Amino acid sequence: MLMKRGPQKREEKQLSAKQLLLRAKIVFDQVPDPKGTNRDICLADSLMSALAMFGLKSPSLLAFDLACNEKTIRHNLKKLYWINQTPSDTYMREELDEVDPASIREIFCSMFNAVQRYKLLERYRFLDGYLILTDGTEMFSSNKVHCKNCCEKHHRDGPTTYHHNALGAAIVHPELRQVIPLCPEPISKQDGTEKNDCERRATQRFLAALKKEHPRLQATIVSDALSANAPQINEIKSFGYHFIINAKPGNNKSLFDFISGLTLPEVHVVKGKNSYTFRYINQIPLNESKDAPLVNFLECKAIEFDGKKTTEKTFTWVTDHVITADNVYLIMQGGRARWKIENETFNTLKNQGYQFEHNFGHGKKNLTTNFMFLMMLAFLIDQIQEAACGLFQAAIQAKGSRRALWEFMRSYFYICFIDSWEDLFTAIGQGIGVKLVRNTS
């Protein structure tokens, strides 16, 4: 269910589209330009144009480029995105390919500061901190197109597959639909190396960056069974974070063998029609290796009803949160929230208009990563709006879905002169009290 801001369908000024995009513009104005200042179109215009393309959910860079020839589009991009001159599709690709992705990271910190300062982050508190989900996903694959940063898979029958993956991360709450995505970590060949990158090394870089950028953030890292190993868990703990990680008998045989000989405390919890049986134990070794961390083990057998359908499932996790009869249900909620990185994040990006798997341009250096960052930034702005802005919520409710909202936004952008985001969302959501001037030329 969408979070309701309240009975007033009004803009949340400090977390409005205008203020969030202004934060982006301020950062983009400071991004070092590899070509200096002697250029026809400033780099900030190229970056903001790419962000506008993803914000409007244009199906391709060429489609966005062609639309920018319209007088209304040029007016609206200047008013709403502060873009003085839009680049051609070729110019944008060439410019953004040269930009260091590290210089774009700062915008995610600026957005996070806004979410924290204006109290939206408080809604996401869980288990004395915040749940941060991580998971890898593929964002590009080709047998022909590639760059120096592509990972390579050499097949036995001869051909090579080139690919880029990314480690996505988001702050979530089990009972909230919206997520707060953090800056993703590219999984690609690192400078000066010939070896393929991997999700584990990307996780190391992500945790180090998270600690540096948000040193006082208390977090529980939630991830899949691939992380249920001593090196990964020890690394998470070294940064001072908690963890809830799926555990499976096939990956953690010694752990399950150890538990099989024990009688564990049981707790029964009933929530509405659903019932849960928990077994748990604290402070047991993850495995038999000398560096094995002590973990707390939780098993949940769930019987859940959805209409006439009954589902029975068993879940198992390891965590460093001390497990008690009073918090087994909360820890279970935290562990099962892991699916939000797939459902509310990756699936939304792939299936609800963001075109995550579309190749907007590959480049020779950094274009794929920079486009991925800017698409995730557009998604972050939308998620903040959906969680905090009454006007945005009313617009989605009026149109019935995100996809329908994107279509109406593009339609208004094409045919009307728009002076503010407040005017646009009010026109879409309420259709009264706002006059958008149509282009009749």
Side-chain angles (χ1 to χ4, degrees):
M1 246 180 130
L2 290 178
M3 293 177 57
K4 301 297 182 182
R5 192 186 179 284
Q8 294 179 318
K9 296 178 181 179
R10 60 187 177 88
E11 188 178 49
E12 177 58 64
K13 296 298 183 184
Q14 297 301 331
L15 296 176
S16 65
K18 175 182 177 180
Q19 291 301 320
L20 295 174
L21 288 168
L22 182 58
R23 285 175 174 268
K25 180 67 164 60
I26 290 171
V27 173
F28 291 162
D29 281 338
Q30 299 171 354
V31 172
D33 191 335
K35 295 185 178 180
T37 57
N38 186 20
R39 56 168 60 249
D40 296 328
I41 301 175
C42 71
L43 181 58
D45 274 356
S46 293
L47 288 164
M48 287 300 290
S49 294
L51 179 57
M53 175 179 69
F54 293 125
L56 294 170
K57 318 305 181 289
S58 293
S60 69
L61 182 49
L62 178 59
F64 179 76
D65 182 25
L66 293 174
C68 288
N69 293 324
E70 297 293 328
K71 184 189 297 185
T72 49
I73 295 291
R74 294 197 302 271
H75 171 275
N76 296 338
L77 290 175
K78 186 169 185 178
K79 285 288 186 178
L80 303 186
Y81 286 94
W82 299 283
I83 297 170
N84 292 313
Q85 189 173 357
T86 55
S88 67
D89 56 341
T90 300
Y91 189 92
M92 184 191 293
R93 289 190 182 101
E94 291 175 350
E95 295 303 288
L96 299 191
D97 193 34
E98 298 290 335
V99 173
D100 183 356
S103 63
I104 301 179
R105 286 191 64 99
E106 177 59 33
I107 184 57
F108 288 89
C109 295
S110 180
M111 296 290 178
F112 186 88
N113 289 340
V115 167
Q116 189 174 41
R117 180 176 181 181
Y118 298 108
K119 308 302 182 184
L120 177 59
L121 188 64
E122 284 301 306
R123 300 182 194 173
Y124 290 80
R125 286 196 67 85
F126 193 81
L127 290 175
D128 300 324
Y130 301 94
L131 295 178
I132 296 182
L133 315 186
T134 63
D135 198 10
T137 189
E138 185 175 89
M139 60 183 184
F140 170 82
S141 179
S142 174
N143 293 328
K144 297 180 179 179
V145 178
H146 60 94
C147 69
K148 68 175 186 177
N149 296 322
C150 281
C151 293
E152 301 176 16
K153 183 176 182 180
H154 300 279
H155 302 277
R156 291 182 178 179
D157 56 352
T160 298
T161 299
Y162 302 96
H163 60 95
H164 284 267
N165 291 8
L167 181 78
I171 294 177
V172 310
H173 189 285
E175 297 176 356
L176 301 181
R177 179 180 174 183
Q178 295 80 23
V179 304
I180 302 175
L182 302 172
C183 186
E185 182 62 39
I187 302 175
S188 57
K189 282 186 179 177
Q190 303 299 294
D191 289 340
T193 67
E194 294 296 324
K195 292 174 118 182
N196 280 341
D197 198 11
C198 66
E199 187 172 323
R200 181 177 166 187
R201 285 195 288 269
T203 301
Q204 293 172 342
R205 297 193 300 273
F206 168 78
L207 292 173
L210 180 68
K211 194 66 176 180
K212 179 181 178 181
E213 292 168 351
H214 311 290
R216 292 185 293 277
L217 187 69
Q218 296 178 312
T220 296
I221 307 299
V222 183
S223 55
D224 61 23
L226 293 176
S227 298
N229 59 75
Q232 192 93 344
I233 289 175
N234 286 334
E235 182 132 36
I236 292 171
K237 294 178 67 175
S238 73
F239 286 102
Y241 299 127
H242 293 292
F243 62 87
I244 301 175
I245 299 175
N246 276 92
K248 294 183 177 180
N251 295 348
N252 302 100
K253 186 176 183 303
S254 61
L255 174 69
F256 282 85
D257 286 346
F258 183 84
I259 291 169
S260 66
L262 302 175
T263 300
L264 306 184
E266 283 195 3
V267 179
H268 299 279
V269 177
V270 176
K271 295 287 183 178
K273 294 182 179 180
N274 302 329
S275 63
Y276 306 89
T277 300
F278 298 94
R279 297 195 310 144
Y280 67 92
I281 184 172
N282 291 306
Q283 295 294 283
I284 59 173
L286 178 68
N287 53 44
E288 297 173 351
S289 65
K290 63 179 181 180
D291 63 343
L294 295 177
V295 298
N296 307 324
F297 175 86
L298 178 64
E299 175 191 86
C300 170
K301 293 185 177 181
I303 302 175
E304 298 176 319
F305 297 86
D306 184 5
K308 295 182 179 180
K309 183 180 178 181
T310 303
T311 303
E312 297 187 27
K313 292 183 178 180
T314 299
F315 306 91
T316 46
W317 300 275
V318 291
T319 180
D320 65 339
H321 287 288
V322 177
I323 305 173
T324 68
D326 295 327
N327 69 6
V328 287
Y329 185 80
L330 286 177
I331 293 176
M332 179 271 287
Q333 282 187 301
R336 293 182 71 178
R338 184 182 68 84
W339 289 107
K340 287 182 175 288
I341 192 68
E342 184 65 37
N343 295 336
E344 271 76 12
T345 307
F346 297 147
N347 284 349
T348 299
L349 290 168
K350 294 174 183 178
N351 302 315
Q352 296 193 29
Y354 293 88
Q355 309 287 344
F356 184 79
E357 294 177 312
H358 175 74
N359 181 18
F360 285 87
H362 192 76
K364 298 179 180 179
K365 296 179 181 179
N366 303 315
L367 186 62
T368 297
T369 296
N370 286 333
F371 272 161
M372 184 262 292
F373 276 10
L374 292 167
M375 181 185 292
M376 191 65 76
L377 177 57
F379 175 60
L380 170 58
I381 291 171
D382 290 341
Q383 288 290 287
I384 295 173
Q385 293 286 282
E386 193 173 318
C389 179
L391 282 183
F392 190 94
Q393 294 167 3
I396 290 184
Q397 187 175 8
K399 301 310 168 193
S401 69
R402 292 187 183 112
R403 274 190 172 274
L405 174 61
W406 312 147
E407 290 174 7
F408 271 85
M409 285 175 62
R410 284 196 301 274
S411 296
Y412 277 108
F413 251 76
Y414 292 152
I415 65 175
C416 296
F417 293 99
I418 307 167
D419 289 332
S420 73
W421 288 100
E422 186 175 10
D423 286 352
L424 175 62
F425 290 137
T426 301
I428 295 174
Q430 302 177 47
I432 57 174
V434 172
K435 295 181 180 180
L436 299 182
V437 180
R438 291 194 62 169
N439 180 9
T440 57
S441 60

